[in-house]
Amino acid sequence: AAFVGVMLAGGTLGMLHMPLPFVEPTILASVVALGLLVALAVDLPMSAGVAIIGLFALFHGHAHGTEVPENAGGLEYMAGFAMATALLHAIGIAAGLGLGIRFRGLARAAGAACAAVGAGLVFGVL
């Protein structure tokens, strides 16, 4: 919920053409950082987790907001990317909880794979 809410705020900033520096590098950093947190099974305090998620969500939302098609209505577009993101997160949370309880190593391997893909994107390998 925190991610989607802050992502909508970032989307609004993007739709208003308000500049936000380092959007793409921050999105790539989020893939690497969140993958590493899962891979290493880091247990963050709630406040730190919310701050990290909020920071990354702002940049993800800004990217979505700057990419609104000319023929799309702003509210419909924002509702669509918010619902799609919420659904993807729900699927990820369900898979993570299901795997994490029974197959902790598999969940951690998935986090490592995310971090590796993110690093590949950062360095232009992928």
XYZ file of all heavy atoms in Angstrom:
864
model
N 0.829 -1.199 0.000
C 0.000 0.000 0.000
C 0.866 1.253 0.000
O 0.554 2.229 -0.688
C -0.938 -0.002 1.195
N 1.963 1.206 0.773
C 2.865 2.368 0.806
C 3.465 2.604 -0.568
O 3.526 3.751 -1.039
C 3.974 2.155 1.840
N 3.885 1.531 -1.237
C 4.489 1.676 -2.558
C 3.493 2.293 -3.531
O 3.802 3.262 -4.220
C 4.978 0.316 -3.085
C 5.780 0.432 -4.355
C 7.158 0.476 -4.300
C 5.160 0.504 -5.597
C 7.909 0.602 -5.460
C 5.893 0.621 -6.760
C 7.277 0.670 -6.692
N 2.281 1.754 -3.594
C 1.296 2.239 -4.554
C 0.915 3.691 -4.259
O 0.815 4.516 -5.174
C 0.053 1.330 -4.588
C -1.028 1.911 -5.489
C 0.432 -0.069 -5.070
N 0.739 4.023 -2.990
C 0.375 5.401 -2.635
C 1.444 6.409 -3.023
O 1.148 7.446 -3.637
N 2.682 6.111 -2.695
C 3.766 7.040 -3.037
C 4.016 7.021 -4.537
O 4.348 8.050 -5.135
C 5.050 6.723 -2.242
C 6.185 7.640 -2.642
C 4.785 6.859 -0.742
N 3.816 5.876 -5.178
C 3.969 5.804 -6.631
C 2.961 6.730 -7.325
O 3.293 7.400 -8.303
C 3.777 4.371 -7.108
C 4.042 4.201 -8.593
S 3.715 2.540 -9.180
C 1.942 2.463 -8.999
N 1.752 6.798 -6.802
C 0.754 7.713 -7.373
C 1.179 9.173 -7.204
O 0.974 9.989 -8.107
C -0.610 7.471 -6.741
C -1.308 6.191 -7.199
C -2.535 5.915 -6.337
C -1.691 6.278 -8.667
N 1.798 9.492 -6.070
C 2.315 10.857 -5.884
C 3.415 11.138 -6.901
O 3.443 12.216 -7.522
C 2.838 11.029 -4.461
N 4.316 10.184 -7.097
C 5.366 10.350 -8.101
C 4.784 10.457 -9.500
O 5.259 11.245 -10.321
N 3.751 9.667 -9.788
C 3.081 9.741 -11.079
C 2.488 11.116 -11.323
O 2.566 11.651 -12.429
N 1.921 11.696 -10.287
C 1.371 13.046 -10.404
C 2.474 14.048 -10.725
O 2.308 14.906 -11.594
C 0.647 13.438 -9.097
O -0.405 12.499 -8.860
C 0.076 14.839 -9.182
N 3.610 13.928 -10.040
C 4.745 14.822 -10.336
C 5.194 14.672 -11.785
O 5.474 15.654 -12.467
C 5.915 14.528 -9.397
C 5.715 14.820 -7.920
C 6.941 14.377 -7.117
C 5.433 16.297 -7.703
N 5.258 13.428 -12.253
C 5.658 13.193 -13.638
C 4.668 13.771 -14.628
O 5.058 14.366 -15.640
N 3.381 13.608 -14.347
C 2.356 14.150 -15.248
C 2.373 15.674 -15.270
O 2.021 16.283 -16.277
C 0.982 13.638 -14.834
C 0.804 12.156 -15.122
S -0.758 11.498 -14.519
C -1.891 12.289 -15.644
N 2.808 16.267 -14.174
C 2.908 17.730 -14.103
C 4.236 18.237 -14.659
O 4.519 19.425 -14.589
C 2.730 18.198 -12.656
C 1.344 17.975 -12.050
C 1.345 18.309 -10.564
C 0.293 18.782 -12.797
N 5.044 17.320 -15.179
C 6.362 17.638 -15.760
C 7.309 18.264 -14.746
O 8.150 19.085 -15.110
C 6.218 18.527 -16.997
C 5.318 17.938 -18.031
N 5.666 16.839 -18.781
C 4.055 18.268 -18.418
C 4.676 16.526 -19.589
N 3.680 17.367 -19.395
N 7.170 17.890 -13.491
C 8.088 18.373 -12.465
C 9.332 17.490 -12.521
O 9.228 16.265 -12.438
C 7.439 18.336 -11.088
C 6.235 19.257 -11.000
S 5.547 19.323 -9.362
C 6.716 20.383 -8.581
N 10.497 18.097 -12.685
C 11.710 17.276 -12.848
C 12.091 16.548 -11.557
O 11.901 17.045 -10.457
C 12.781 18.302 -13.227
C 12.270 19.609 -12.735
C 10.765 19.525 -12.748
N 12.609 15.360 -11.749
C 13.120 14.549 -10.651
C 14.418 13.937 -11.171
O 14.394 13.211 -12.165
C 12.105 13.464 -10.281
C 12.348 12.642 -9.026
C 12.387 13.530 -7.781
C 11.246 11.602 -8.862
N 15.548 14.278 -10.556
C 16.826 13.794 -11.106
C 17.035 12.297 -10.876
O 16.511 11.724 -9.927
C 17.869 14.612 -10.327
C 17.198 14.946 -9.039
C 15.729 15.105 -9.371
N 17.786 11.698 -11.761
C 18.247 10.309 -11.628
C 17.113 9.288 -11.557
O 17.209 8.304 -10.824
C 19.170 10.163 -10.410
C 20.276 11.160 -10.362
C 20.326 12.118 -9.363
C 21.270 11.155 -11.327
C 21.348 13.054 -9.317
C 22.297 12.088 -11.296
C 22.339 13.037 -10.291
N 16.059 9.490 -12.334
C 14.914 8.575 -12.286
C 15.331 7.166 -12.719
O 15.116 6.197 -11.980
C 13.732 9.086 -13.139
C 12.635 8.043 -13.242
C 13.178 10.378 -12.533
N 15.901 7.026 -13.901
C 16.262 5.691 -14.391
C 17.322 5.015 -13.522
O 17.168 3.834 -13.181
C 16.708 5.761 -15.859
C 15.583 6.119 -16.827
C 14.415 5.148 -16.813
O 14.646 3.922 -16.684
O 13.267 5.602 -16.938
N 18.398 5.722 -13.121
C 19.366 5.054 -12.241
C 18.761 4.619 -10.902
O 19.126 3.572 -10.362
C 20.455 6.108 -12.023
C 20.347 7.011 -13.188
C 18.893 7.030 -13.550
N 17.824 5.399 -10.381
C 17.200 5.031 -9.107
C 16.305 3.812 -9.276
O 16.257 2.942 -8.395
C 16.423 6.222 -8.515
O 17.323 7.324 -8.362
C 15.818 5.881 -7.176
N 15.610 3.715 -10.397
C 14.780 2.538 -10.653
C 15.674 1.306 -10.765
O 15.368 0.250 -10.192
C 13.915 2.740 -11.909
C 12.846 3.806 -11.627
C 13.269 1.426 -12.341
C 12.071 4.250 -12.847
N 16.783 1.418 -11.473
C 17.718 0.290 -11.562
C 18.279 -0.058 -10.182
O 18.396 -1.231 -9.836
C 18.855 0.614 -12.533
C 18.480 0.632 -14.010
C 19.653 1.139 -14.849
C 18.036 -0.739 -14.470
N 18.617 0.958 -9.407
C 19.128 0.715 -8.053
C 18.091 -0.004 -7.200
O 18.442 -0.848 -6.367
C 19.540 2.028 -7.396
N 16.810 0.286 -7.426
C 15.765 -0.374 -6.639
C 15.712 -1.868 -6.935
O 15.493 -2.670 -6.029
C 14.399 0.281 -6.898
O 13.860 -0.080 -8.153
N 15.913 -2.241 -8.184
C 15.895 -3.666 -8.537
C 17.055 -4.383 -7.842
O 16.886 -5.453 -7.261
C 15.966 -3.849 -10.067
C 16.077 -5.322 -10.440
C 14.751 -3.216 -10.738
N 18.236 -3.762 -7.883
C 19.408 -4.365 -7.244
C 19.233 -4.397 -5.726
O 19.418 -5.436 -5.086
C 20.698 -3.604 -7.627
C 21.896 -4.149 -6.863
C 20.945 -3.675 -9.127
N 18.869 -3.269 -5.137
C 18.782 -3.173 -3.674
C 17.711 -4.089 -3.098
O 17.965 -4.815 -2.126
C 18.510 -1.724 -3.269
N 16.518 -4.072 -3.692
C 15.458 -4.916 -3.157
C 15.767 -6.394 -3.379
O 15.474 -7.232 -2.516
C 14.108 -4.523 -3.762
C 13.647 -3.111 -3.381
C 12.360 -2.747 -4.118
C 13.471 -2.955 -1.885
N 16.393 -6.724 -4.504
C 16.821 -8.102 -4.728
C 17.828 -8.549 -3.682
O 17.744 -9.662 -3.151
N 18.781 -7.673 -3.368
C 19.775 -8.012 -2.339
C 19.148 -8.161 -0.963
O 19.531 -9.043 -0.192
C 20.881 -6.950 -2.296
C 21.883 -6.983 -3.444
C 22.820 -5.780 -3.363
C 22.671 -8.288 -3.433
N 18.181 -7.304 -0.643
C 17.512 -7.418 0.657
C 16.821 -8.771 0.803
O 16.865 -9.390 1.870
C 16.514 -6.271 0.846
C 17.120 -4.893 1.074
C 16.034 -3.823 1.050
C 17.893 -4.844 2.382
N 16.194 -9.229 -0.282
C 15.539 -10.546 -0.245
C 16.588 -11.649 -0.202
O 16.493 -12.587 0.594
C 14.594 -10.716 -1.453
C 14.076 -12.146 -1.547
C 13.433 -9.728 -1.365
N 17.594 -11.541 -1.067
C 18.620 -12.593 -1.143
C 19.348 -12.778 0.184
O 19.666 -13.896 0.572
C 19.624 -12.261 -2.240
N 19.586 -11.675 0.860
C 20.317 -11.734 2.126
C 19.388 -11.866 3.331
O 19.852 -11.896 4.471
C 21.202 -10.499 2.278
C 22.262 -10.328 1.173
C 22.966 -8.980 1.313
C 23.246 -11.475 1.195
N 18.083 -11.929 3.078
C 17.067 -12.047 4.136
C 17.261 -10.988 5.213
O 17.217 -11.275 6.414
C 17.070 -13.450 4.733
N 17.450 -9.745 4.771
C 17.656 -8.637 5.700
C 16.323 -8.316 6.390
O 15.299 -8.153 5.723
C 18.193 -7.390 4.955
C 18.316 -6.210 5.893
C 19.535 -7.710 4.308
N 16.358 -8.227 7.693
C 15.158 -7.918 8.474
C 15.258 -6.464 8.926
O 15.840 -6.167 9.972
C 15.051 -8.864 9.667
C 13.736 -8.728 10.407
O 12.795 -8.136 9.841
O 13.655 -9.211 11.540
N 14.706 -5.572 8.120
C 14.769 -4.140 8.418
C 13.681 -3.735 9.406
O 12.601 -4.330 9.415
C 14.551 -3.332 7.135
C 15.610 -3.403 6.060
C 15.128 -2.659 4.820
C 16.916 -2.806 6.550
N 13.945 -2.694 10.184
C 12.853 -2.107 10.970
C 11.777 -1.582 10.016
O 12.083 -1.170 8.890
C 13.517 -0.953 11.724
C 14.984 -1.224 11.648
C 15.218 -2.027 10.415
N 10.551 -1.597 10.443
C 9.434 -1.161 9.607
C 9.672 0.236 9.036
O 9.446 0.470 7.851
C 8.129 -1.177 10.407
C 6.923 -0.746 9.606
S 6.366 -1.966 8.421
C 5.659 -3.163 9.507
N 10.151 1.164 9.853
C 10.356 2.535 9.378
C 11.386 2.595 8.253
O 11.205 3.330 7.278
C 10.776 3.441 10.533
O 11.967 2.944 11.134
N 12.449 1.815 8.350
C 13.461 1.801 7.296
C 12.900 1.183 6.023
O 13.141 1.681 4.915
C 14.696 1.035 7.751
N 12.134 0.111 6.162
C 11.520 -0.519 5.001
C 10.567 0.416 4.279
O 10.586 0.520 3.052
N 9.741 1.123 5.042
C 8.791 2.059 4.442
C 9.540 3.200 3.754
O 9.163 3.626 2.653
C 7.796 2.585 5.495
C 6.983 3.757 4.965
C 6.879 1.463 5.955
N 10.606 3.689 4.356
C 11.380 4.781 3.742
C 12.012 4.330 2.429
O 11.958 5.056 1.424
C 12.456 5.269 4.707
N 12.586 3.141 2.411
C 13.208 2.627 1.190
C 12.150 2.415 0.106
O 12.317 2.845 -1.038
C 13.966 1.309 1.485
C 15.202 1.602 2.329
C 14.352 0.600 0.188
C 15.857 0.365 2.905
N 11.056 1.779 0.479
C 9.978 1.524 -0.477
C 9.416 2.848 -0.995
O 9.164 3.001 -2.194
C 8.859 0.679 0.182
C 9.369 -0.716 0.512
C 7.617 0.623 -0.682
C 9.845 -1.527 -0.664
N 9.216 3.800 -0.107
C 8.676 5.099 -0.515
C 9.591 5.819 -1.487
O 9.133 6.391 -2.485
N 10.877 5.795 -1.224
C 11.840 6.452 -2.121
C 11.772 5.836 -3.512
O 11.640 6.538 -4.515
C 13.257 6.334 -1.552
C 14.361 6.859 -2.476
C 14.312 8.374 -2.549
C 15.716 6.379 -2.011
N 11.847 4.511 -3.572
C 11.823 3.848 -4.868
C 10.474 4.031 -5.561
O 10.409 4.182 -6.782
C 12.174 2.371 -4.719
C 13.607 2.124 -4.342
C 13.955 1.014 -3.593
C 14.627 2.984 -4.738
C 15.282 0.764 -3.252
C 15.953 2.750 -4.399
C 16.284 1.632 -3.659
N 9.395 4.020 -4.811
C 8.060 4.190 -5.385
C 7.909 5.559 -6.034
O 7.285 5.685 -7.091
C 7.001 4.005 -4.303
N 8.472 6.582 -5.413
C 8.378 7.936 -5.975
C 8.989 7.973 -7.374
O 8.408 8.529 -8.314
C 9.081 8.932 -5.052
C 8.980 10.393 -5.462
C 7.557 10.895 -5.246
C 9.955 11.233 -4.650
N 10.141 7.346 -7.527
C 10.824 7.345 -8.817
C 10.099 6.462 -9.839
O 9.986 6.844 -11.009
C 12.282 6.909 -8.643
C 13.130 7.994 -8.035
C 13.201 8.160 -6.666
C 13.848 8.858 -8.845
C 13.968 9.164 -6.099
C 14.626 9.870 -8.291
C 14.687 10.025 -6.918
N 9.601 5.306 -9.404
C 8.835 4.454 -10.317
C 7.586 5.193 -10.803
O 7.269 5.168 -11.994
C 8.417 3.158 -9.617
C 9.484 2.120 -9.573
N 9.573 1.101 -10.494
C 10.510 1.930 -8.715
C 10.607 0.340 -10.207
N 11.198 0.815 -9.123
N 6.897 5.843 -9.884
C 5.694 6.590 -10.252
C 5.994 7.738 -11.190
O 5.255 7.987 -12.145
N 7.100 8.436 -10.938
C 7.477 9.556 -11.809
C 7.683 9.058 -13.228
O 7.240 9.698 -14.193
C 8.742 10.239 -11.276
C 9.046 11.526 -11.953
N 9.735 11.592 -13.140
C 8.758 12.807 -11.614
C 9.868 12.852 -13.509
N 9.276 13.614 -12.589
N 8.356 7.923 -13.371
C 8.578 7.359 -14.710
C 7.247 7.057 -15.391
O 7.053 7.377 -16.568
C 9.433 6.107 -14.621
N 6.313 6.455 -14.661
C 4.998 6.182 -15.240
C 4.289 7.479 -15.621
O 3.672 7.568 -16.682
C 4.114 5.406 -14.257
C 4.466 3.968 -14.117
N 4.428 3.084 -15.160
C 4.858 3.257 -13.033
C 4.777 1.886 -14.735
N 5.051 1.954 -13.441
N 4.377 8.473 -14.761
C 3.687 9.734 -15.008
C 4.212 10.481 -16.220
O 3.455 11.172 -16.905
N 5.489 10.351 -16.493
C 6.045 11.045 -17.662
C 5.766 10.293 -18.963
O 5.975 10.839 -20.044
C 7.576 11.236 -17.534
O 8.198 9.959 -17.399
C 7.919 12.115 -16.354
N 5.267 9.054 -18.861
C 5.029 8.229 -20.039
C 3.549 8.091 -20.395
O 3.176 7.193 -21.139
C 5.641 6.845 -19.819
C 7.147 6.882 -19.663
C 7.739 5.564 -19.187
O 6.968 4.653 -18.813
O 8.967 5.463 -19.192
N 2.720 8.988 -19.888
C 1.290 8.916 -20.188
C 1.091 9.149 -21.687
O 1.557 10.156 -22.223
C 0.490 9.976 -19.394
C -0.983 9.932 -19.752
C 0.686 9.796 -17.911
N 0.413 8.228 -22.363
C 0.152 8.440 -23.797
C -0.713 9.680 -24.013
O -1.549 10.020 -23.174
C -0.611 7.183 -24.221
C -0.324 6.173 -23.159
C -0.076 6.945 -21.900
N -0.511 10.328 -25.131
C -1.254 11.559 -25.445
C -2.764 11.343 -25.453
O -3.516 12.228 -25.100
C -0.807 12.092 -26.808
C 0.653 12.450 -26.872
C 0.888 13.936 -26.829
O -0.048 14.691 -27.135
O 2.009 14.324 -26.491
N -3.199 10.159 -25.879
C -4.634 9.913 -26.013
C -5.253 9.270 -24.766
O -6.392 8.834 -24.800
C -4.903 9.031 -27.239
C -4.215 7.680 -27.145
O -3.372 7.466 -26.282
N -4.570 6.781 -28.049
N -4.512 9.207 -23.669
C -5.022 8.587 -22.442
C -5.448 9.660 -21.450
O -4.806 10.702 -21.340
C -3.951 7.706 -21.814
N -6.517 9.384 -20.730
C -6.931 10.267 -19.654
C -6.033 10.034 -18.442
O -5.697 8.893 -18.120
N -5.629 11.100 -17.794
C -4.691 10.999 -16.686
C -5.179 10.142 -15.534
O -4.446 9.290 -15.027
N -6.428 10.343 -15.113
C -6.939 9.573 -13.975
C -7.084 8.092 -14.310
O -6.739 7.238 -13.492
C -8.281 10.142 -13.511
C -8.207 11.497 -12.809
C -9.611 11.993 -12.458
C -7.348 11.414 -11.566
N -7.556 7.809 -15.514
C -7.703 6.410 -15.919
C -6.333 5.742 -16.013
O -6.161 4.594 -15.603
C -8.428 6.301 -17.267
C -9.874 6.730 -17.218
C -10.056 8.227 -17.478
O -9.040 8.953 -17.624
O -11.209 8.665 -17.521
N -5.376 6.455 -16.559
C -4.027 5.922 -16.695
C -3.432 5.631 -15.316
O -2.871 4.567 -15.075
C -3.151 6.909 -17.460
C -1.733 6.452 -17.656
C -1.400 5.551 -18.653
C -0.707 6.926 -16.833
C -0.097 5.122 -18.842
C 0.599 6.500 -17.007
C 0.897 5.607 -18.016
O 2.188 5.190 -18.187
N -3.564 6.582 -14.393
C -3.029 6.389 -13.042
C -3.728 5.232 -12.335
O -3.081 4.435 -11.658
C -3.135 7.678 -12.227
C -2.129 8.726 -12.672
S -2.225 10.250 -11.722
C -1.563 9.724 -10.156
N -5.043 5.139 -12.496
C -5.775 4.027 -11.884
C -5.293 2.703 -12.456
O -5.115 1.729 -11.714
C -7.277 4.195 -12.114
N -5.036 2.678 -13.754
C -4.564 1.450 -14.392
C -3.207 1.023 -13.896
O -3.006 -0.142 -13.527
N -2.244 1.957 -13.832
C -0.920 1.526 -13.374
C -0.906 1.257 -11.878
O -0.140 0.418 -11.403
C 0.227 2.418 -13.880
C 0.491 3.721 -13.191
C 1.084 3.774 -11.940
C 0.236 4.917 -13.836
C 1.375 4.977 -11.327
C 0.537 6.131 -13.240
C 1.095 6.162 -11.979
N -1.774 1.900 -11.126
C -1.866 1.596 -9.688
C -2.448 0.201 -9.468
O -1.928 -0.574 -8.651
C -2.710 2.650 -8.976
N -3.506 -0.127 -10.201
C -4.111 -1.454 -10.038
C -3.172 -2.554 -10.537
O -3.061 -3.612 -9.898
C -5.457 -1.521 -10.765
C -6.535 -0.714 -10.064
S -8.216 -0.976 -10.706
C -8.034 -0.580 -12.420
N -2.496 -2.310 -11.653
C -1.552 -3.303 -12.167
C -0.412 -3.526 -11.177
O -0.013 -4.667 -10.910
C -1.004 -2.864 -13.525
N 0.095 -2.446 -10.599
C 1.177 -2.566 -9.622
C 0.707 -3.284 -8.369
O 1.405 -4.155 -7.842
C 1.743 -1.173 -9.274
O 2.259 -0.580 -10.470
C 2.828 -1.257 -8.222
N -0.486 -2.938 -7.891
C -1.025 -3.609 -6.701
C -1.199 -5.103 -6.964
O -0.867 -5.935 -6.098
C -2.351 -2.977 -6.292
N -1.670 -5.471 -8.149
C -1.852 -6.885 -8.484
C -0.500 -7.599 -8.550
O -0.345 -8.693 -8.004
C -2.596 -7.027 -9.812
C -2.833 -8.453 -10.298
C -3.681 -9.236 -9.291
C -3.511 -8.439 -11.659
N 0.481 -6.979 -9.208
C 1.814 -7.587 -9.272
C 2.412 -7.757 -7.879
O 3.032 -8.776 -7.585
C 2.743 -6.742 -10.147
C 2.471 -6.803 -11.643
C 3.280 -5.733 -12.375
C 2.775 -8.178 -12.187
N 2.225 -6.753 -7.026
C 2.740 -6.864 -5.659
C 2.022 -7.971 -4.894
O 2.662 -8.722 -4.148
C 2.599 -5.526 -4.927
C 3.635 -4.531 -5.319
N 3.992 -3.478 -4.519
C 4.407 -4.414 -6.419
C 4.935 -2.770 -5.112
N 5.198 -3.328 -6.269
N 0.712 -8.069 -5.060
C -0.043 -9.122 -4.373
C 0.439 -10.507 -4.805
O 0.623 -11.401 -3.964
C -1.540 -8.970 -4.642
N 0.669 -10.674 -6.102
C 1.180 -11.956 -6.602
C 2.569 -12.219 -6.023
O 2.865 -13.332 -5.571
C 1.201 -11.968 -8.142
C -0.230 -11.962 -8.685
C 1.991 -13.168 -8.674
C -0.330 -11.671 -10.169
N 3.416 -11.202 -6.023
C 4.762 -11.358 -5.476
C 4.760 -11.659 -3.988
O 5.515 -12.513 -3.515
N 3.904 -10.987 -3.255
C 3.813 -11.225 -1.808
C 3.312 -12.648 -1.538
O 3.864 -13.358 -0.701
C 2.917 -10.168 -1.133
C 3.628 -8.808 -1.141
C 2.548 -10.585 0.289
C 2.730 -7.639 -0.802
N 2.285 -13.049 -2.274
C 1.758 -14.410 -2.093
C 2.819 -15.454 -2.425
O 3.005 -16.424 -1.673
C 0.518 -14.611 -2.967
N 3.524 -15.246 -3.524
C 4.586 -16.196 -3.897
C 5.704 -16.179 -2.865
O 6.211 -17.233 -2.466
C 5.130 -15.855 -5.282
N 6.080 -14.989 -2.419
C 7.144 -14.886 -1.421
C 6.778 -15.543 -0.109
O 7.587 -16.255 0.488
N 5.561 -15.331 0.332
C 5.122 -15.969 1.577
C 5.029 -17.483 1.402
O 5.454 -18.241 2.265
C 3.787 -15.393 2.036
C 3.825 -13.959 2.553
C 2.409 -13.453 2.821
C 4.686 -13.845 3.786
N 4.475 -17.910 0.281
C 4.349 -19.341 0.039
C 5.699 -20.024 -0.096
O 5.942 -21.079 0.487
N 6.593 -19.399 -0.846
C 7.925 -19.976 -1.019
C 8.774 -19.802 0.228
O 9.530 -20.686 0.600
C 8.640 -19.329 -2.210
C 8.079 -19.615 -3.590
C 8.808 -18.786 -4.629
C 8.168 -21.094 -3.908
N 8.657 -18.630 0.829
C 9.506 -18.319 1.976
C 9.268 -19.233 3.165
O 10.189 -19.544 3.908
N 8.050 -19.679 3.325
C 7.741 -20.567 4.444
C 8.275 -21.973 4.180
O 8.878 -22.593 5.038
C 6.215 -20.597 4.678
C 5.763 -19.253 5.232
C 5.835 -21.721 5.636
C 4.258 -19.073 5.272
N 8.075 -22.463 2.961
C 8.445 -23.851 2.656
C 9.788 -23.981 1.957
O 10.467 -24.980 2.107
C 7.353 -24.470 1.798
C 6.013 -24.451 2.526
C 4.948 -25.129 1.756
N 5.129 -26.570 1.952
C 4.600 -27.472 1.183
N 3.867 -27.112 0.170
N 4.795 -28.750 1.412
N 10.148 -22.960 1.165
C 11.356 -23.044 0.354
C 12.164 -21.757 0.488
O 12.316 -21.002 -0.460
C 11.000 -23.284 -1.119
C 10.138 -24.482 -1.348
C 8.780 -24.338 -1.591
C 10.671 -25.760 -1.306
C 7.970 -25.438 -1.805
C 9.871 -26.874 -1.516
C 8.520 -26.711 -1.768
N 12.672 -21.509 1.665
C 13.380 -20.265 1.960
C 14.529 -20.030 0.980
O 14.743 -18.922 0.522
C 13.901 -20.282 3.390
C 14.424 -18.922 3.831
C 14.905 -18.938 5.248
N 14.123 -18.490 6.346
C 13.237 -17.505 6.415
N 12.899 -16.869 5.354
N 12.657 -17.168 7.528
N 15.245 -21.077 0.647
C 16.373 -20.943 -0.279
C 15.930 -20.493 -1.659
O 16.621 -19.708 -2.309
N 14.770 -20.979 -2.110
C 14.255 -20.585 -3.418
C 13.876 -19.102 -3.428
O 14.155 -18.389 -4.398
C 13.060 -21.455 -3.802
C 12.461 -21.237 -5.180
C 13.510 -21.408 -6.272
C 11.304 -22.196 -5.408
N 13.257 -18.641 -2.356
C 12.902 -17.222 -2.263
C 14.164 -16.357 -2.279
O 14.217 -15.320 -2.961
C 12.094 -16.965 -0.997
N 15.182 -16.785 -1.562
C 16.434 -16.029 -1.541
C 17.122 -16.069 -2.898
O 17.710 -15.077 -3.336
C 17.339 -16.550 -0.436
C 16.741 -16.229 0.956
C 17.571 -16.723 2.081
N 18.770 -15.895 2.196
C 19.694 -16.048 3.115
N 19.571 -17.007 4.012
N 20.746 -15.273 3.165
N 17.046 -17.203 -3.581
C 17.624 -17.309 -4.921
C 16.910 -16.373 -5.900
O 17.544 -15.768 -6.770
C 17.559 -18.750 -5.413
N 15.592 -16.256 -5.745
C 14.838 -15.326 -6.598
C 15.292 -13.889 -6.350
O 15.423 -13.095 -7.286
C 13.340 -15.472 -6.341
N 15.541 -13.529 -5.098
C 16.065 -12.194 -4.790
C 17.429 -11.983 -5.411
O 17.707 -10.916 -5.977
N 18.280 -12.990 -5.339
C 19.608 -12.885 -5.949
C 19.495 -12.728 -7.457
O 20.245 -11.948 -8.073
C 20.445 -14.117 -5.599
N 18.549 -13.442 -8.068
C 18.346 -13.317 -9.515
C 17.898 -11.913 -9.881
O 18.368 -11.335 -10.872
C 17.329 -14.355 -9.988
N 17.011 -11.333 -9.070
C 16.578 -9.948 -9.322
C 17.754 -8.984 -9.227
O 17.913 -8.097 -10.073
C 15.484 -9.536 -8.332
S 13.904 -10.294 -8.651
N 18.574 -9.162 -8.206
C 19.743 -8.296 -8.047
C 20.701 -8.460 -9.219
O 21.254 -7.476 -9.727
C 20.454 -8.608 -6.730
N 20.881 -9.695 -9.672
C 21.785 -9.946 -10.802
C 21.255 -9.330 -12.094
O 22.024 -8.719 -12.856
C 21.988 -11.452 -10.979
N 19.958 -9.454 -12.327
C 19.364 -8.842 -13.520
C 19.514 -7.319 -13.439
O 19.872 -6.667 -14.421
C 17.889 -9.258 -13.686
C 17.179 -8.398 -14.717
C 17.800 -10.722 -14.066
N 19.238 -6.756 -12.278
C 19.402 -5.308 -12.105
C 20.824 -4.872 -12.366
O 21.066 -3.876 -13.049
N 21.789 -5.614 -11.845
C 23.200 -5.278 -12.070
C 23.538 -5.404 -13.544
O 24.275 -4.576 -14.100
C 24.100 -6.174 -11.227
N 22.993 -6.421 -14.211
C 23.211 -6.575 -15.645
C 22.687 -5.396 -16.428
O 23.311 -4.930 -17.386
N 21.539 -4.881 -16.014
C 20.971 -3.704 -16.666
C 21.813 -2.456 -16.389
O 22.020 -1.636 -17.281
C 19.522 -3.490 -16.209
C 18.523 -4.541 -16.675
C 17.193 -4.370 -15.951
C 18.328 -4.475 -18.178
N 22.285 -2.331 -15.158
C 23.123 -1.177 -14.796
C 24.368 -1.127 -15.674
O 24.758 -0.075 -16.168
C 23.516 -1.233 -13.298
C 24.627 -0.242 -12.989
C 22.312 -0.963 -12.418
N 24.996 -2.281 -15.860
C 26.278 -2.318 -16.592
C 26.110 -2.600 -18.076
O 27.093 -2.791 -18.775
C 27.206 -3.341 -15.933
C 27.624 -2.920 -14.550
C 27.135 -3.617 -13.446
C 28.448 -1.833 -14.349
C 27.501 -3.219 -12.160
C 28.806 -1.432 -13.071
C 28.332 -2.129 -11.975
N 24.861 -2.607 -18.558
C 24.611 -2.764 -19.980
C 24.856 -4.155 -20.525
O 24.992 -4.334 -21.734
N 24.915 -5.140 -19.650
C 25.107 -6.521 -20.088
C 23.792 -7.109 -20.588
O 23.779 -7.951 -21.475
C 25.693 -7.377 -18.939
C 25.841 -8.821 -19.349
C 27.020 -6.793 -18.480
N 22.701 -6.681 -20.008
C 21.355 -7.159 -20.405
C 20.580 -6.068 -21.095
O 20.720 -4.932 -20.871
C 20.570 -7.634 -19.178
C 21.166 -8.811 -18.431
C 20.350 -9.104 -17.191
C 21.205 -10.043 -19.313
